[in-house]
Amino acid sequence: MPESLVTPTVGCRFFYVSRLAPGQPVTVIAELLRVSRAFNRQHGITGALLFDGEHFAQLLEGDPAVVFPLAARIEADARHAEVDVRLRLEGAFPRLFEHWVCGWAEEEEVGARLVSAQAPALAQLTAFRELVEGSDVG
Ligand SMILES: Cc1cc2nc3c(=O)[nH]c(=O)nc-3n(C[C@H](O)[C@H](O)[C@H](O)COP(=O)(O)O)c2cc1C
């Protein structure tokens, strides 16, 4: 989508942390990234998926009519477990990400800074953005 068509506001934010399901090889991530990139781009969903070798953290932002059904599919996805939703809000928010990106964080960084964090959701989002910026975004 051309940059000029990316709206500065979105209708919802969905943010969660989870853990790679037991017995799942790390290689499943390649497949889910392939599907995610195509779907998210096609539907104007922006945000990021961060993985540290064990934990995921993901922010999805976009049209609630698309994001919330996707969120339900993600929550039910057996490739990860212990899905802990930290933010599920409908409303007009500034987009935090211009695109949808994925990043590999340092080992245990997502676990230490997000999964075990007790901070309010917005502070967690700030930490999340910092981690995405410091990760090998691909
Ligand atoms: C950690 C994680 C993150 C995911 N993120 C996305 C995503 O951003 N976009 C997407 O289309 N699918 C994502 N998926 C895949 C969905 O769970 C689901 O497989 C996909 O929407 C296809 O749905 P279907 O198998 O019911 O057709 C993710 C899965 C996992 C485990």
Side-chain angles (χ1 to χ4, degrees):
M1 187 183 308
E3 216 62 70
S4 57
L5 295 182
V6 176
T7 51
T9 59
V10 286
C12 73
R13 282 179 181 164
F14 177 72
F15 177 60
Y16 71 88
V17 295
S18 66
R19 176 191 287 272
L20 188 66
Q24 289 285 338
V26 173
T27 48
V28 299
I29 293 169
E31 168 61 11
L32 76 86
L33 289 185
R34 194 181 60 75
V35 171
S36 301
R37 274 207 192 91
F39 183 87
N40 296 2
R41 188 170 298 164
Q42 196 182 348
H43 292 88
I45 297 175
T46 54
L49 175 67
L50 202 55
F51 183 64
D52 69 1
E54 186 177 351
H55 305 97
F56 295 101
Q58 186 174 29
L59 170 72
L60 296 169
E61 43 184 22
D63 180 348
V66 181
V67 171
F68 289 145
L70 170 61
R73 294 199 295 280
I74 293 175
E75 284 182 84
D77 196 313
R79 290 172 288 189
H80 63 168
E82 296 173 41
V83 180
D84 183 357
V85 177
R86 301 287 169 93
L87 194 71
R88 187 199 302 266
L89 276 184
E90 194 166 345
F93 299 104
R95 254 189 217 277
L96 294 178
F97 289 85
E98 276 184 25
H99 305 282
W100 186 79
V101 294
C102 59
W104 292 78
E106 297 287 332
E107 201 180 330
E108 273 303 314
E109 211 168 33
V110 175
R113 289 203 52 199
L114 293 171
V115 177
S116 331
Q118 302 292 319
L122 287 180
Q124 292 182 38
L125 269 190
T126 304
F128 175 74
R129 283 177 84 185
E130 283 171 16
L131 287 179
V132 173
E133 279 162 22
S135 71
D136 292 322
V137 172

